[in-house]
Amino acid sequence: AQSVAQPEDQVNVAEGNPLTVKCTYSVSGNPYLFWYVQYPNRGLQFLLKYITGDNLVKGSYGFEAEFNKSQTSFHLKKPSALVSDSALYFCAVRDPRNYGGSQGNLIFGKGTKLSVKP
Amino acid sequence: DTAVSQTPKYLVTQMGNDKSIKCEQNLGHDTMYWYKQDSKKFLKIMFSYNNKELIINETVPNRFSPKSPDKAHLNLHINSLELGDSAVYFCASSQSGYRANEKLFFGSGTQLSVL
């Protein structure tokens, strides 16, 4: 069964510093990987996805993520954090081979709270 | 215009009551979902509908019954509400239920509190 892990409950970064939010996954085939962001009292918003091709994926708001198959990771990064980046970040995985049935659900990690201080 | 809208935003009710949450999307998407986010922010899929047909039904008590009158609407009816049903419920949609690379568009959530 597919799964995704976000090992950090919270990441604290000073404004202007680079940030990394970690994500590892478990899928028996080639995964489809996603990052979503949730601001307070809001629904999740799509940031970026990896389907195939270049391992470095660029997304919204200056975020990027690197797919590393050998380490089964898909860490979210940004070169220079902003206070407005403070939010809850969710990594998600889907096994495309099982898509269309219950095994093909988009599985979310537990979320990582990013706090960027001025 | 709000792409995925759900009502109400807040719902406070007594145990044993029956309540409904409505969801509408104006994106022309074929697939709609209900997710439950618990107090620890863990997000889990409940149901998925594609063109008004149920395609995913996770292990959810049968007190929860989704209804899709058309592909732009997916409502969630909950019977005999229990304390453990307290959570934030998110509606979402995607372009097609049969493309695994599709991103989801989420509503802003309905915070259900069962007293």
Side-chain angles (χ1 to χ4, degrees), chain A residues 9-76:
Chain A
D9 290 335
Q10 181 155 343
V11 170
N12 298 311
V13 177
E15 189 174 31
N17 283 1
L19 69 88
T20 299
V21 182
K22 295 180 181 178
C23 172
T24 59
Y25 65 89
S26 175
V27 167
S28 50
N30 293 318
Y32 287 177
L33 294 157
F34 303 79
W35 276 101
Y36 286 81
V37 58
Q38 184 179 25
Y39 297 101
N41 301 314
R42 302 290 297 277
L44 278 70
Q45 296 177 33
F46 170 79
L47 273 181
L48 51 78
K49 65 181 177 182
Y50 171 83
I51 304 301
T52 187
D54 194 347
N55 289 343
L56 185 64
V57 179
K58 294 188 184 296
S60 307
Y61 312 122
F63 284 93
E64 57 188 30
E66 186 166 13
F67 171 62
N68 187 319
K69 188 171 184 177
S70 62
Q71 296 185 3
T72 62
S73 67
F74 189 56
H75 301 330
L76 182 69

Side-chain angles (χ1 to χ4, degrees), chain A residues 32-34 49 51 93-100 104 106, chain B residues 96-104:
Chain A
Y32 287 177
L33 294 157
F34 303 79
K49 65 181 177 182
I51 304 301
V93 67
R94 174 181 278 149
D95 184 346
R97 298 175 310 157
N98 292 329
Y99 192 63
L106 186 62
Chain B
S96 168
Y98 297 100
R99 293 185 198 153
N101 61 353
E102 291 289 344
K103 63 184 182 183
L104 271 61

Side-chain angles (χ1 to χ4, degrees), chain B residues 37-80:
Chain B
Q37 187 176 45
D38 63 23
S39 59
K40 296 183 178 179
K41 303 298 184 183
F42 184 67
L43 199 65
K44 187 173 181 181
I45 191 167
M46 300 174 70
F47 301 102
S48 171
Y49 269 72
N50 185 66
N51 277 321
K52 304 192 298 176
E53 291 189 16
L54 181 67
I55 59 172
I56 294 174
N57 182 355
E58 287 299 296
T59 306
V60 175
N62 57 16
R63 299 181 293 103
F64 290 79
S65 55
K67 285 186 172 55
S68 183
D70 56 61
K71 73 174 191 177
H73 294 84
L74 181 62
N75 304 323
L76 183 65
H77 188 75
I78 315 170
N79 290 328
S80 304

